[in-house]
Amino acid sequence: MKKMFGVIGDPIAHSMSPAMHNDLFELYGIDASYLPFRVIKDDLEDAVKGLKALGTSGFNVTIPHKTKIMPLLDKIDPLAEAIGAVNTVKNENGLFTGYNTDGPGFVKGLEGHAADFKERSALIIGAGGAARGIYLSMAKAGVKRIDIFNRTMEKAEELVKTCPYEVKSRVLNRANAERLLGEYQLIIQTTSIGMVPEVDFSPLSLENLSTKALVSDIIYNPLKTKILKDAAINGAATQNGIDMFVYQGALAFEKWTGIFPDTQRMKENVLRHLGGYTC
Ligand code: ATR
């Protein structure tokens, strides 16, 4: 029987996940379909019950449901529990298990740009939901130093305090982050600064940036944010958010099918949808 997968969120019309996963099902000869479902906040519980009653094999979860869905699932993977968000659900013998592949997807995407990432000193900009997933996944992967700069320092302090993995971390204000910038070989931008309407803004000055650094932005629209342009001008390597998006999808696909898919093909597919090209 044909298997059903999907993504629930609101808004959902512009999600690139259906095109990405349906292409993979076809590529690997898997008889399955992946559909977008707009689910408003008040309908989340009914939607999860419905997906279970219909025997859905798995689904992705996006804004605004990543945290609220957790008590509605049967099991939660420990990393997703620590992050406090689920973006992937798998039906395991009738029980829904929640995973987080966003943070691990970011880490997997790093491997291609900085194979030595575990040895690098990292600075994360931001301390929201996305930063939380990335910080904890990097700490779990064995990165030894991860400092955080966030406008609201208390949020960064909370993140450091609640981390169950061994890692050295300092919480910095903007002035200190800019002053110490040369110490980092990995800088990860997780805020919305750089997206429309803030395309001409960067969360911090890169004056002291090391040319040995990789600057990674999780934004993929636009493909080149202001901070990535500044990084390139300063001679540093750059990575945009396409990798994180593609690898979170690849890890979800692997959980559902046991196949780690062709990420280069996925990237090309996503870029076609965005109508652009990346380095
Ligand atoms: P997400 O799930 O995408 O991470 P979020 O949890 O709302 O979204 O987090 C947004 C992050 O972007 C936070 O780190 C936020 O900083 P605060 O904790 O101080 O709110 C940061 N952010 C958003 N807009 C910002 C702005 N204009 N200036 C500085 N930081 C900003």
Side-chain angles (χ1 to χ4, degrees):
M1 200 170 73
K2 196 178 192 81
K3 289 185 172 166
M4 187 169 79
F5 295 86
V7 56
I8 59 169
D10 183 25
I12 204 67
H14 298 294
S15 171
M16 293 185 290
S17 293
M20 198 165 75
H21 286 286
N22 284 321
D23 175 62
L24 294 176
F25 288 138
E26 202 181 319
L27 177 68
Y28 295 107
I30 297 168
D31 187 18
S33 262
Y34 184 113
L35 292 164
F37 297 107
R38 177 170 175 244
V39 174
I40 61 167
K41 272 186 188 166
D42 286 350
D43 287 345
L44 180 62
E45 189 168 352
D46 288 346
V48 172
K49 277 187 191 155
L51 287 164
K52 192 183 258 186
L54 293 171
T56 316
S57 300
F59 57 96
N60 286 126
V61 184
T62 189
I63 291 165
H65 305 310
K66 288 188 184 189
T67 301
K68 292 269 165 57
I69 197 167
M70 295 178 74
L72 306 174
L73 300 174
D74 301 298
K75 272 199 292 182
I76 306 283
D77 164 79
L79 178 63
E81 189 79 61
I83 294 171
V86 159
N87 79 314
T88 299
V89 175
K90 183 180 178 190
N91 187 339
E92 291 165 346
N93 303 315
L95 296 179
F96 277 173
T97 302
Y99 298 92
N100 188 305
T101 69
D102 286 324
F106 177 81
V107 171
K108 193 99 186 139
L110 260 188
E111 289 168 6
H113 279 72
D116 61 344
F117 74 93
K118 287 181 200 167
E119 313 312 321
R120 296 191 179 204
S121 279
L123 175 70
I124 293 182
I125 305 168
R132 192 172 174 84
I134 290 171
Y135 175 81
L136 294 174
S137 301
M138 285 175 59
K140 184 170 184 250
V143 180
K144 290 165 201 75
R145 169 163 291 281
I146 315 170
D147 292 345
I148 307 177
F149 152 53
N150 191 46
R151 175 178 61 180
T152 313
M153 289 178 78
E154 295 75 25
K155 266 206 229 164
E157 276 153 10
E158 180 67 18
L159 176 49
V160 169
K161 223 168 39 196
T162 54
C163 178
Y165 309 108
E166 173 92 25
V167 60
K168 287 195 184 72
S169 292
R170 291 176 295 186
V171 172
L172 305 174
N173 61 21
R174 181 175 175 149
N176 282 335
E178 289 179 345
R179 187 171 57 82
L180 299 172
L181 201 66
E183 290 183 10
Y184 301 101
Q185 301 91 46
L186 191 51
I187 292 154
I188 302 148
Q189 197 307 108
T190 72
T191 77
S192 51
I193 302 171
M195 282 168 73
V196 175
E198 295 176 298
V199 287
D200 295 327
F201 295 92
S202 165
L204 85 175
S205 155
L206 297 189
E207 206 175 308
N208 293 326
L209 182 69
S210 160
T211 52
K212 294 198 183 83
L214 168 69
V215 179
S216 181
D217 196 327
I218 67 165
I219 294 171
Y220 55 78
N221 196 5
L223 289 169
K224 281 206 172 94
T225 52
K226 172 82 163 67
I227 195 171
L228 293 191
K229 287 181 190 163
D230 291 350
I233 289 167
N234 280 286
T238 62
Q239 176 185 33
N240 64 31
I242 296 275
D243 280 327
M244 181 175 176
F245 178 70
V246 161
Y247 281 94
Q248 65 74 31
L251 291 174
F253 190 85
E254 186 183 34
K255 290 224 178 291
W256 295 327
T257 65
I259 299 168
F260 188 79
D262 179 344
T263 49
Q264 189 53 39
R265 181 182 173 105
M266 294 168 79
K267 255 187 225 184
E268 284 160 17
N269 193 345
V270 169
L271 281 169
R272 253 196 321 276
H273 276 83
L274 287 170
Y277 298 91
T278 186
C279 44

